[in-house]
Amino acid sequence: MSQTARGGDSAGREPGSPITGLPAAGLRRLGYLAIALLAYVPPLLTDRGRVAADTKSYLYLDPARVLGRATAMWDANIGFGTVTHQNIGYLFPMGPYYWLMQQIGSPDWVAQRLWLGSLVAGAGFGVVYLARCLNIRGPGVAVSVVAFMFSPYSLHYAARISVLLGPWAALPWMIGLAVKALRDPRGWRYPALFALVVQLVGGVNATALLFAGLGPALWLLWQWLGTREVGFRDVARVTGRIGVVTLLASAWWIAGLSLQGSYGLDILKYTETIKAVARTSSPNEVLRGLGYWFFYGRDRLGPWIEAATNYTQRPRIILTGYSIGGFSLISAGLVRWKHRGFFVLLTFIGVVIAVGAHPFQAPTPMGALFKAFAASSSAGLALRSTGRADPLVILGLSMLLGAAVTCIARWVHTHVRLRLAAVVIAPLVVLLVLSNFPALYNGSYYGANLERDEKLPQRWTDLASYLNHTDFRSRVLELPGADFASYTFGNTVDPITPGLMDRPYVARELIPYGSAPSADFLNALDRRLQEGTFSPNGFVELLQRAGVGTVVVRNDIQWERYNLVRPRELARMLGQVEGLTLDRTFGSLVLDSDALGITDERTLNPQTLAVARPHSIVVLKVPGDTRIVRAESAAAPVVVDGDGEGLVDAADSGALGGGGTVLYSAAFAAHPGELARDAGSDAVLVLTDQNRKRGLRWSTVLDNTGYTEPAGLHPLVHDGSDNRLPLFPGAPDSAYTVTE
């Protein structure tokens, strides 16, 4: 089949549709209205009054506080203080948007739905713009628009990290602007518009933006080397103009990422591994707009993304998804039109990148190269989320599908002369595409496991008000640590306390923040509470040294979701700490029941059962000098031969008494002379069996360490999930506890 110039590439103004006979202008206005209705209405009808844990919960708690903190690269409210990770990106546009919506009195849930609707609508209008830039017309344009807007790809992020949908929505706009720029290679208008689009979508995740940026780059290469319609000089001019303007406009957030990479903890090592990503990125899943590893995950209470059930358990949806992808691929071989080669190339490159290292144990040659690149460099690790190249595939298949529909409709109209049959072809395909997106009609855009009520429980706002009127010279430590913040009133992913108060805050989370020593110490402190090996001796002294003046016990956390320490068990252990006094309680008494009905030795412990049920929130006061900024004597330091675990052990045995500066001996392993100089003759050496040479994984907050290894042991096979904190960089095995 072929698409004629009249149907596919006509640049003139059409008085009416060649198939329907309706005015083209009227059809366009009707199409724009349909895009807006489909984009905004379904989210607004989904779980009204409920706020999803999307991107950053602090955007809904207090956007002004988010904007105020995003202006600084240092954040004292995370991990004993840290160089922030991408927080600067919330300065535009997400932070100002939620601030503005709050100022005009919009409910948070409405603002959230309008944000998602705008992303979906932007994607749809972007395809319309791209079609106009390429002079593509006909009923297939509507099919391409709907297929791109409502690919299941958007459900990967809609409920949890919608900010990552920005590059997806911007992809057709960026290609369209590259098309326009190439027609006026000496102009600056379209490069400037391109830079503006990047500003709207690129401040938070550089990986997703980089993959989307391959779309316009491929267009420039295709026009130069593929069709040979333009010369190298014009391509170079356009590339230079777009590159210069975009880099200058994006320098503010690029500088932030650079500073975090230079001075902050490399948190990429402690998130998903290349193996986890590759496990689900099979070609068949990529071709139906899926493949992101998180989409398929579950915890003890259910799937991480509830919409995933439709695409993994319902045969009709699975068959529909494969049918749409299959028909799009078939159309690439049968339909001849001017831009077919580019969209085939776009799809092919997108699939190669998105599939990445799948299957991980036996990847393709390209996959093996990517696997080695990701395992050997920080840049490769940053690009491990290859599924974020899916928009290239989705756009390519959507445009090919639309071209096939236009070609078939016009062939039927011309040769069979059944106008009704020609008219209904596009709507039928649109309905087929929409049936592959149940979120439009069954309310699964967001999941109940990622939502909370619009209004926070009174106990938490009262707590924040109280803490904001207490001693700002010390930190607030929140216990227990948790993988993510899932409360009994709903899931916020981020702990809500730092978004409600201004005091410095610290709590153990799944991802380590701050410096390696502070994260290691916090893990050691919380682990003993989680695993039931806690000793009350020295606990107060450790809190004092950490500048913690207040301990907040969040007993309304969903402990059963991540198998955390139980509230009564935690109350029993903390009740044994001498000097830690009750300051205030908030909320009612917590119940003993849980969502899973767990009955084990921890539940039946007589000592735990004898403890009275605690309140939802308990505030404990730490005695003594708990100032964050204070002077300590360096005359008689305590030298700990160990790590954070050894520090806790030393406090338990009373070896940290006296208040002198604490030094880690392993930190001087490469320069022993400096230790002798700094410690002096009055130092106290505390020998521990900690700082062990052992593996460390980050899939949970407990039971995540390996066995103690012999000196000189190296793994036969690289284990991407073993990521040990760089507590003592460059230290030899002699600085660690090892086995013989």
Side-chain angles (χ1 to χ4, degrees):
M1 296 185 215
S2 64
Q3 189 168 338
T4 64
R6 174 190 173 192
D9 300 300
S10 174
R13 181 179 297 275
E14 294 179 299
S17 168
I19 295 177
T20 64
L22 298 175
L27 282 176
R28 281 197 295 270
R29 286 193 291 269
L30 186 62
Y32 297 158
L33 178 61
I35 290 174
L37 290 175
L38 286 172
Y40 287 104
V41 172
L44 285 168
L45 295 178
T46 301
D47 295 343
R48 288 173 289 181
R50 302 278 290 173
V51 177
D54 175 28
T55 306
K56 280 290 181 186
S57 290
Y58 311 131
L59 291 167
Y60 321 116
L61 299 173
D62 192 340
R65 183 178 275 114
V66 172
L67 288 172
R69 291 175 178 173
T71 57
M73 288 304 298
W74 179 260
D75 190 345
N77 299 279
I78 298 177
F80 292 108
T82 186
V83 179
T84 58
H85 180 70
Q86 299 181 331
N87 284 12
I88 194 172
Y90 295 110
L91 286 175
F92 185 80
M94 209 170 186
Y97 166 77
Y98 279 103
W99 178 85
L100 178 62
M101 296 300 286
Q102 186 183 70
Q103 298 307 304
I104 66 176
S106 170
D108 290 337
W109 76 271
V110 173
Q112 192 175 69
R113 303 311 191 265
L114 292 177
W115 168 264
L116 177 61
S118 298
L119 287 169
V120 177
F125 287 120
V127 175
V128 173
Y129 179 74
L130 176 60
R132 294 185 65 180
C133 290
L134 296 177
N135 297 317
I136 300 173
R137 309 211 174 180
V141 173
V143 174
S144 298
V145 169
V146 173
F148 189 71
M149 286 176 67
F150 299 110
S151 163
Y153 172 82
S154 64
L155 297 176
H156 286 161
Y157 308 105
R160 193 170 180 272
I161 328 176
S162 68
V163 70
L164 294 186
L165 292 176
W168 160 73
L171 174 61
W173 291 99
M174 291 193 293
I175 296 177
L177 290 169
V179 172
K180 291 282 192 176
L182 205 53
R183 293 173 184 168
D184 182 20
R186 297 181 181 275
W188 289 93
R189 176 185 178 186
Y190 294 109
L193 290 174
F194 189 100
L196 178 60
V197 170
V198 171
Q199 290 307 294
L200 289 171
V201 303
V204 174
N205 190 274
T207 301
L209 178 64
L210 178 62
F211 287 144
L214 291 176
L218 287 173
W219 173 259
L220 297 176
L221 289 174
W222 177 255
Q223 290 295 97
W224 172 39
L225 299 176
T227 64
R228 300 185 182 276
E229 293 182 2
V230 296
F232 172 76
R233 289 185 177 180
D234 286 344
V235 171
R237 287 192 186 98
V238 171
T239 302
R241 282 168 167 75
I242 289 178
V244 168
V245 177
T246 302
L247 285 174
L248 289 176
S250 303
W252 59 279
W253 61 263
I254 294 175
L257 286 180
S258 176
L259 286 172
Q260 193 279 327
S262 300
Y263 298 102
L265 195 62
D266 188 4
I267 66 172
L268 292 175
K269 293 182 178 180
Y270 313 113
T271 55
E272 66 269 23
T273 64
I274 181 63
K275 183 177 181 180
V277 172
R279 185 176 294 119
T280 57
S281 61
S282 62
N284 52 309
E285 290 295 272
V286 168
L287 287 171
R288 63 180 186 135
L290 298 173
Y292 179 44
W293 69 276
F294 194 88
F295 191 72
Y296 305 86
R298 299 177 62 89
D299 58 36
R300 291 156 63 98
L301 298 185
W304 293 339
I305 299 177
E306 293 182 6
T309 304
N310 292 316
Y311 299 92
T312 58
Q313 306 297 322
R314 296 182 61 185
R316 180 182 66 82
I317 301 298
I318 296 173
L319 181 61
T320 301
Y322 283 129
S323 298
I324 295 171
F327 185 68
S328 300
L329 290 176
I330 292 173
S331 68
L334 298 180
V335 178
R336 290 176 294 169
W337 62 305
K338 183 176 182 180
H339 304 297
R340 177 182 64 169
F342 169 70
F343 289 108
V344 169
L345 176 65
L346 191 70
T347 302
F348 174 76
I349 296 297
V351 170
V352 170
I353 296 174
V355 169
H358 178 89
F360 187 77
Q361 299 300 333
T364 63
M366 286 294 296
L369 289 175
F370 176 78
K371 178 179 174 180
F373 177 54
S376 61
S377 68
S378 297
L381 191 60
L383 297 174
R384 71 199 182 286
S385 295
T386 55
R388 292 171 190 169
D390 269 6
L392 302 175
V393 182
I394 299 163
L395 182 61
L397 293 179
S398 297
M399 298 303 289
L400 291 169
L401 180 64
V405 169
T406 295
C407 184
I408 292 172
R410 285 188 171 141
W411 187 88
V412 170
H413 177 72
T414 303
H415 294 86
V416 183
R417 300 192 179 278
L418 293 175
R419 174 169 292 187
L420 180 62
V423 168
V424 301
I425 288 175
L428 286 176
V429 177
V430 166
L431 290 175
L432 178 67
V433 172
L434 294 180
S435 70
N436 190 47
F437 201 84
L440 281 176
Y441 50 85
N442 69 2
S444 59
Y445 251 128
Y446 302 99
N449 66 323
L450 287 172
E451 292 178 331
R452 62 168 174 86
D453 287 335
E454 169 85 17
K455 186 178 180 181
L456 287 174
Q458 187 67 36
R459 59 182 180 270
W460 279 99
T461 54
D462 289 345
L463 170 71
S465 177
Y466 174 70
L467 294 176
N468 273 329
H469 290 86
T470 52
D471 187 5
F472 272 73
R473 296 177 301 174
S474 65
R475 293 186 176 92
V476 174
L477 169 66
E478 200 162 57
L479 297 174
D483 295 22
F484 299 101
S486 298
Y487 301 91
T488 54
F489 63 83
N491 195 343
T492 62
V493 179
D494 301 305
I496 61 175
T497 318
L500 298 171
M501 69 169 189
D502 295 315
R503 278 185 66 181
Y505 166 93
V506 65
R508 186 185 180 191
E509 301 178 63
L510 182 63
I511 308 302
Y513 292 102
S515 65
S518 64
D520 176 67
F521 167 72
L522 186 60
N523 290 356
L525 196 68
D526 181 72
R527 181 190 65 80
R528 293 150 195 262
L529 293 168
Q530 301 283 0
E531 298 180 5
T533 60
F534 175 78
S535 173
N537 301 326
F539 187 68
V540 167
E541 185 174 16
L542 289 171
L543 297 182
Q544 292 170 343
R545 286 183 174 274
V548 173
T550 303
V551 176
V552 173
V553 186
R554 46 183 179 182
N555 290 313
D556 62 349
I557 203 83
Q558 286 185 0
W559 61 265
E560 63 273 25
R561 181 178 290 275
Y562 303 114
N563 195 28
L564 307 176
V565 57
R566 280 74 155 167
R568 292 174 75 178
E569 187 180 11
L570 182 58
R572 175 183 63 81
M573 289 186 284
L574 293 178
Q576 300 171 357
V577 180
E578 185 176 349
L580 200 61
T581 58
L582 178 65
D583 188 15
R584 193 71 64 92
T585 62
F586 298 90
S588 58
L589 300 177
V590 297
L591 301 176
D592 289 328
S593 60
D594 65 84
L596 297 177
I598 297 174
T599 301
D600 56 16
E601 69 280 4
R602 299 173 70 177
T603 307
L604 300 176
N605 186 340
Q607 293 178 320
T608 299
L609 294 175
V611 176
R613 287 185 296 152
H615 287 78
S616 298
I617 303 173
V618 176
V619 180
L620 303 173
K621 184 174 180 57
V622 181
D625 186 3
T626 58
R627 291 173 297 175
I628 299 173
V629 180
R630 63 188 185 278
E632 289 184 348
S633 173
V638 178
V639 180
V640 176
D641 186 57
D643 56 2
E645 295 281 353
L647 196 64
V648 176
D649 288 339
D652 183 23
S653 64
L656 293 187
T661 303
V662 174
L663 303 174
Y664 284 141
S665 64
F668 299 88
H671 306 283
E674 294 183 9
L675 176 60
R677 181 197 64 198
D678 293 348
S681 59
D682 296 327
V684 176
L685 175 64
V686 180
L687 181 64
T688 78
D689 66 348
Q690 297 300 330
N691 191 31
R692 301 187 176 195
K693 186 173 185 281
R694 58 185 176 182
L696 184 59
R697 295 201 169 107
W698 301 91
S699 56
T700 178
V701 298
L702 68 163
D703 300 325
N704 54 2
T705 56
Y707 71 99
T708 306
E709 301 168 356
L713 179 69
H714 298 285
L716 297 177
V717 178
H718 173 73
D719 184 357
S721 64
D722 181 1
N723 290 297
R724 310 172 192 198
L725 283 169
L727 191 58
F728 307 115
D733 284 357
S734 59
Y736 292 83
T737 296
V738 295
T739 56
E740 292 183 357

